[in-house]
């Protein structure tokens, strides 16, 4: 893919996209570039105030953009269902499962799930399933699920998915990001070509995500270190969003593939296909996680019969 950049995104006129967590960081950059290249974009955001500010900023940068704001709280399945209901009846070409929380103190979602697993994985599992009819109505639909380098040390603790017995915020984050990879791979297998499912990660990109956990914990020193790391070591969010944009738009992007930065340790650089961690390649773990996600959310997926 050479030195692929946002300018290489093809014309997306006539296509419709949803980006979760589009109010800042990677989500905003993804929504911005999709809109810049002609897609009609829904910025799916939890905070109306921050979402409205992001939409105004996007339209200031791309005055002719077709973009609207959608209310979506992935930590509340009733909100996920309401958002999906509002999208019914219109084909959906691109779904970017980007929103997430990182290394927060133990909290639970509105439905009683551990916050990171519930938001990062279960919310997106439910959203994708509820939007499946809209996706299948599009000619070549794509689902891109954003993971992280920190999926590599992750493991799915089926005996304590919600950290009720033991909770460590970074282990919980790694579990949720590994779950993103397992979901993307299992969706690719189950779809059997009915849609394309890819995963992507941004490397080390400067966003507000790194600051949220320390702020919620009252860890001012941790917040300062995170801010310093963003300034010194991280690449800009505009570059961090490129693997996601490549997966979402490049004609040569492959269903089932994983994209990330091509630099040392995948921390920075332009996008390339990268290897998934070994734990993400276990089909039995992926199947079990899918079935548990179906039970927890009540959302089932129905694909057309394979020819």
């Amino acid at each position: 893919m050479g030195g692929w950049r946002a300018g290489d995104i093809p014309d997306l006129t006539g296509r419709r996209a949803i980006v979760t967590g589009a109010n800042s960081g990677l989500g905003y950059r993804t929504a911005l570039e999709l809109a810049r290249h002609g897609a009609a974009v829904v910025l799916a955001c939890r905070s109306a105030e921050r979402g409205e500010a992001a939409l105004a900023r996007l339209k200031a940068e791309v005055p002719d953009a077709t973009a609207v704001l959608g209310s979506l709280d992935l930590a509340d399945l009733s909100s996920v269902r309401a958002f999906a209901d509002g999208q019914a009846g219109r084909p959906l070409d691109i779904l970017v499962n980007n929103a997430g929380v990182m290394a927060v103190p133990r909290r639970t979602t509105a439905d009683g799930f551990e916050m990171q697993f519930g938001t990062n994985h279960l919310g997106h599992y439910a959203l994708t399933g509820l939007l499946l009819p809209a996706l299948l109505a599009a000619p070549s639909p794509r689902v891109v699920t954003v993971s992280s380098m920190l999926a590599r040390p992750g493991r799915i603790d089926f005996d304590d998915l919600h950290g009720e017995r033991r909770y460590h915020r970074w282990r919980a984050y790694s579990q949720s990001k590994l779950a993103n990879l397992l979901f993307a791979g299992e969706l690719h297998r189950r779809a059997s070509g009915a849609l394309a499912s890819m995963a992507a990660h941004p490397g080390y990109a400067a966003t507000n995500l790194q600051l949220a956990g320390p702020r919620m914990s009252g860890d001012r020193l941790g917040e300062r270190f995170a801010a310093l790391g963003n300034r010194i070591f991280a690449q800009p969010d505009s570059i961090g969003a490129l693997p996601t944009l490549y997966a979402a738009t490049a004609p040569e992007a492959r269903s089932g593939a994983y994209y990330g930065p091509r630099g040392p340790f995948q921390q920075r650089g332009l996008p390339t296909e990268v290897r998934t961690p070994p734990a993400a390649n276990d089909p039995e773990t992926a199947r079990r996680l899918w079935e548990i996600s179906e039970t927890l959310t009540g959302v089932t997926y129905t694909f057309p019969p394979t020819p």
Side-chain angles (χ1 to χ4, degrees), residues 93 132 135-143 184-198 253-256 302-307:
D93 300 274
L132 191 59
L135 286 161
L136 296 179
S140 300
R142 297 190 185 192
V143 177
E186 186 69 0
L187 179 59
H188 161 70
R189 287 186 287 272
R190 291 180 181 241
S192 299
L195 58 75
S197 172
M198 299 86 155
R254 298 186 306 106
S255 184
T302 302
F303 293 102
T306 305

Side-chain angles (χ1 to χ4, degrees), residues 178-261:
L178 175 58
N180 288 152
L181 285 179
L182 289 162
F183 165 70
E186 186 69 0
L187 179 59
H188 161 70
R189 287 186 287 272
R190 291 180 181 241
S192 299
L195 58 75
S197 172
M198 299 86 155
H201 81 81
Y204 184 5
T207 72
N208 291 328
L209 190 65
Q210 292 94 334
L211 309 180
R215 282 175 182 163
M216 290 180 68
S217 303
D219 181 1
R220 293 184 179 179
L221 182 60
E223 185 179 348
R224 290 194 191 103
F225 272 119
L228 183 64
N230 278 356
R231 287 198 300 272
I232 296 175
F233 301 110
Q235 63 181 351
D237 54 10
S238 58
I239 304 299
L242 290 179
T244 298
L245 286 163
Y246 182 88
T249 67
E252 61 271 26
R254 298 186 306 106
S255 184
Y258 186 29
Y259 297 99

Side-chain angles (χ1 to χ4, degrees), residues 149 201-203 235 239 243 260-274:
M149 293 186 297
H201 81 81
Q235 63 181 351
I239 304 299
R262 68 184 185 185
F265 308 106
Q266 300 177 27
Q267 290 197 45
R268 58 193 304 124
L270 299 179
T272 190
E273 185 171 344
V274 297

Side-chain angles (χ1 to χ4, degrees), residues 151-187:
R152 184 165 294 277
R155 73 180 186 90
I156 307 299
D157 187 351
F158 287 109
D159 295 323
D160 192 22
L161 276 176
H162 304 292
E164 294 169 306
R165 287 184 292 205
R166 288 189 305 171
Y167 180 78
H168 186 283
R169 60 182 186 167
W170 285 107
R171 284 196 204 103
Y173 180 70
S174 290
Q175 174 180 251
S176 73
K177 293 287 102 179
L178 175 58
N180 288 152
L181 285 179
L182 289 162
F183 165 70
E186 186 69 0
L187 179 59

Side-chain angles (χ1 to χ4, degrees), residues 55-127:
L55 182 60
R57 179 184 169 197
L58 186 151
K59 289 190 172 181
E61 294 195 53
V62 186
D64 60 348
T66 302
V68 296
L69 183 62
S71 177
L72 173 65
D73 183 354
L74 289 160
D76 183 345
L77 290 179
S78 66
S79 173
V80 175
R81 290 183 182 278
F83 175 84
D85 287 345
Q87 305 303 314
R90 289 167 288 176
L92 177 61
D93 300 274
I94 301 168
L95 171 61
V96 179
N97 290 325
N98 163 82
V101 291
M102 173 191 277
V104 297
R106 191 178 188 281
R107 301 284 191 276
T108 55
T109 69
D111 305 280
F113 310 135
E114 186 276 313
M115 183 63 74
Q116 298 189 79
F117 185 73
T119 302
N120 299 354
H121 169 61
L122 291 175
H124 282 126
Y125 168 89
L127 177 67

